[in-house]
Amino acid sequence: MHPMVKPALRRGWRDLNTVQFGMTPAHALTLGPVDTATGSFLELLNGTRGTALLREEGRRMDLPDGHVDRLVERLSRAGLLDDSRGGGEDADALRRNKDVLDRLRPDLASLSLTTSEPGDALRSLAARRALRVQVRGAGRVGAVLAPLLSGAGVGEVDVLDGGRVEPWDVAPGGHPAEAVGDRRDEAARRAVRRAAPDRPPRRGPTAPPEDGGPGHSLVILAPRDDVAVHAPDPSAAEPFLASGTPHLYAGVVEGTGVVGPLVLPGETGCAGCLHADRTDRDPAWPRLVAQWRSGRQRQVRPCDLTLATTVAGLAAAHALAFLDGRTPSSAGARWEAALPGLHWRARPVTAHPDCPCGAAAKGNREHTAEEGARRETMAEQWPSAEVRHRAGAERSAGTWRAHV
């Protein structure tokens, strides 16, 4: 191990004996008491020295025997250390590809904030290269969202849509003006290839488009149809539920941005649950949806450029959190914000007992008093810095980690 204090966290001295790592409440931690010699030794934790050499440096600085090991262990338990040579074989391969790694260094630094074990940040970044994501929809949201995922290191991002690029599809980061008239899916795939750090090989023009299935880590539904955003059709998600494919909804409807729900089949509420719940609360809901779907379509639907870009960015962030093994807040919820106030709020999408997806039955089995007691016991046994990381890893390392 070649320990280094995570460079993503700014460091400052709160007083003569207390160091603060990080600025924001979400990630800041304090370490104390720290004497002058130990404070100087922290500068040596920069990833250029192995533990043996660090022990020698500690002896030269007259630090007590075992002090270096205890300090490294303490920093590691607090999630403040990384390993400049850790992460496994895939991480080593990424290190050797310096041009690609340089493109992804901001993403690597961000991952270091949300991982605890040394080497996990680069391991997670390298793991993205083996993932396959499909984006369904290449309008102002989908055509921006797909390149974002590709640029963040996701190895294969495919886009499905019909028709050709219209002038109102053009958006910074999505379809360029010169793509007007081209097939939407092909234009979006070009944007994906341009965004990729290492330009994945281009799929042959005669290859059939792949349907979202077990081979995909995630499918993102970003329809251009605003009715499909507001009232997602449960039948459209049946193949994903049958194959156990996680899927995330995102889009813009009448000046309202929507991200979620992230559906983990059999685990969290789906489009069918959403429809059933709305019908329970409003008996007229099915009648309205039928009229919206069959009524005369506007040529150009309201989709504010900045709101669409915001939705694309937020959806990409939720997707990456899931792909990296976490459970984002869109699992079982829809995040919505409407112009002009843009106050984001979460609307729960609870598993409905009448929905055939089975999520309600599973939830009833798992949320027991025994499970709650077990988690409380675990929380009491772990230091607070470790609880946040391990609890998040526990939630996402089971069934759905296999899809990633």
Side-chain angles (χ1 to χ4, degrees), residues 5-343:
V5 176
K6 292 180 177 179
L9 295 170
R10 289 187 178 272
R11 192 187 318 171
W13 289 84
R14 297 185 64 85
D15 53 45
L16 293 177
N17 300 304
T18 308
V19 186
Q20 178 172 316
F21 297 88
M23 298 183 290
T24 63
H27 303 293
L29 291 172
T30 59
L31 180 69
V34 178
D35 56 49
T36 303
T38 300
S40 299
F41 182 80
L42 289 175
E43 301 297 331
L44 303 181
L45 296 175
N46 56 16
T48 62
R49 301 168 178 83
T51 51
L53 183 55
L54 286 172
R55 293 188 191 104
E56 292 182 15
E57 296 284 1
R59 284 192 288 271
R60 293 193 188 99
M61 298 173 69
D62 294 326
L63 293 176
D65 290 342
H67 184 76
V68 170
D69 290 338
R70 288 192 296 271
L71 177 63
V72 169
E73 173 64 19
R74 189 178 178 190
L75 293 171
S76 181
R77 283 173 57 86
L80 294 172
L81 279 190
D82 209 341
D83 182 359
S84 65
R85 299 189 184 182
E89 294 181 1
D90 291 341
D92 290 338
L94 185 53
R95 285 191 191 91
R96 290 191 293 269
N97 199 337
K98 185 178 182 301
D99 290 341
V100 174
L101 184 57
D102 284 346
R103 282 276 301 272
L104 295 170
R105 286 195 185 279
D107 304 89
L108 176 62
S110 181
L111 277 169
S112 75
L113 299 176
T114 58
T115 55
S116 181
E117 296 298 322
D120 273 358
L122 193 57
R123 181 182 292 109
S124 295
L125 189 63
R128 288 181 182 179
R129 294 160 64 84
L131 301 178
R132 300 177 64 235
V133 175
Q134 186 179 85
V135 178
R136 295 197 164 201
R140 279 189 161 187
V141 173
V144 173
L145 196 162
L148 286 174
L149 295 175
S150 180
V154 175
E156 182 178 337
V157 181
D158 189 28
V159 184
L160 293 184
D161 203 346
R164 298 188 177 274
V165 177
E166 302 287 352
W168 48 84
D169 291 322
V170 173
H175 294 303
E178 56 268 23
V180 172
D182 295 344
R183 285 181 48 179
R184 276 198 186 90
D185 54 358
E186 285 297 331
R189 289 169 189 163
R190 288 198 299 269
V192 166
R193 289 192 292 271
R194 287 194 299 268
D198 52 351
R199 296 291 180 91
R202 182 176 181 177
R203 192 194 315 179
T206 59
E210 297 180 24
D211 195 20
H216 287 92
S217 308
L218 179 67
V219 173
I220 302 176
L221 296 100
R224 291 177 288 113
D225 178 13
D226 50 2
V227 176
V229 175
H230 187 57
D233 186 356
S235 64
E238 287 177 357
F240 311 136
L241 295 173
S243 63
T245 303
H247 46 287
L248 172 68
Y249 293 88
V252 174
V253 49
E254 295 182 351
T256 299
V258 179
V259 176
L262 168 64
V263 181
L264 308 179
E267 302 272 351
T268 63
C270 67
C273 297
L274 178 65
H275 180 77
D277 179 67
R278 283 174 164 173
T279 301
D280 287 347
R281 291 184 288 110
D282 181 4
W285 174 256
R287 185 181 309 115
L288 289 171
V289 172
Q291 295 174 72
W292 294 334
R293 288 176 180 163
S294 62
R296 184 174 60 85
Q297 301 294 324
R298 301 188 191 93
Q299 184 180 15
V300 180
R301 299 171 181 85
C303 186
D304 180 87
L305 180 61
T306 56
L307 181 58
T309 305
T310 300
V311 168
L314 185 59
H318 280 248
L320 288 172
F322 170 73
L323 294 171
D324 291 335
R326 304 303 177 98
T327 305
S329 59
S330 56
R334 280 165 58 106
W335 283 96
E336 299 180 358
L339 295 171
L342 293 173
H343 300 295

Side-chain angles (χ1 to χ4, degrees), residues 351-394:
H352 197 280
D354 294 337
C355 182
C357 72
K362 185 175 180 63
N364 289 335
R365 290 196 303 269
E366 291 189 346
H367 295 295
T368 62
E370 290 80 2
E371 176 69 5
R374 184 180 70 85
R375 291 184 178 178
E376 289 179 6
T377 301
M378 294 168 73
E380 291 172 357
Q381 293 173 347
W382 292 341
S384 59
E386 292 182 336
V387 169
R388 293 194 299 271
H389 169 66
R390 294 190 186 180
E394 181 191 22

